[in-house]
Amino acid sequence: MIVGIGTDLCDIRRIQEALQRRGERFAEKVLGPQELLVYRQRQARVAVRGLRYLATRFAAKEAFSKAIGLGIHWPMTWRSCEILNESSGRPRIVLNGELADWFAQKKWQAHVTVTDEVDHALAFVVIETQTDHP
């Protein structure tokens, strides 16, 4: 059963402006440890790829926070929620720390998709209860 839906549309130019104002600190605030590694690899190859990666992760975390009904309030923090890719490229949500415990206690499951196009990044998250039957 679906218990929450969240979406976020992010203007990539706003993310770029935040990076220009705050530098790497902005990425370090928003991205978890594994995401930060991917961001830096992509940014080193092609700067716009790093920027778009950061924007899609920002949007996905906003969408997730809306879907779980907390916003960016404890135990939901930017770094406790990571959007990583499976080897197939499919994005998945990986939770850490108290957020992971809180989420597991509810027996919820999260689904996420992200996309970007020129100036915008979009994310959509669905939260559902885990079922015990086949």
Side-chain angles (χ1 to χ4, degrees):
M1 179 172 82
I2 294 175
V3 294
I5 297 173
T7 190
D8 191 71
L9 178 64
C10 175
D11 188 329
I12 296 173
R13 295 167 295 193
R14 282 185 47 230
I15 300 298
Q16 185 172 26
E17 290 168 5
L19 277 172
Q20 289 170 343
R21 280 192 317 273
R22 299 181 58 206
E24 189 77 1
R25 288 187 327 244
F26 179 74
E28 291 168 352
K29 176 185 175 183
V30 172
L31 301 175
Q34 294 179 66
E35 291 171 315
L36 205 49
L37 292 173
V38 175
Y39 164 73
R40 288 179 175 149
Q41 290 170 349
R42 289 184 181 197
Q43 185 184 40
R45 279 188 239 131
V46 180
V48 73
R49 287 193 67 217
L51 174 62
R52 288 180 174 188
Y53 179 84
L54 177 56
T56 57
R57 273 46 193 177
F58 184 93
K61 292 173 190 212
E62 284 281 341
F64 177 78
S65 74
K66 293 171 185 175
I68 63 173
L70 291 179
I72 308 293
H73 294 94
W74 198 259
M76 173 61 196
T77 65
W78 290 108
R79 294 178 50 83
S80 64
C81 174
E82 292 188 277
I83 316 304
L84 304 173
N85 288 42
E86 295 177 359
S87 58
S88 66
R90 178 182 177 191
R92 63 184 169 93
I93 296 176
V94 176
L95 304 176
N96 304 301
E98 291 184 47
L99 180 60
D101 297 338
W102 177 86
F103 195 80
Q105 286 175 358
K106 296 192 173 290
K107 298 185 178 181
W108 287 351
Q109 186 175 12
H111 307 279
V112 62
T113 188
V114 296
T115 190
D116 62 87
E117 183 64 40
V118 186
D119 293 330
H120 295 93
L122 176 71
F124 190 77
V125 173
V126 174
I127 306 295
E128 64 178 345
T129 56
Q130 295 177 3
T131 57
D132 295 331
H133 62 325

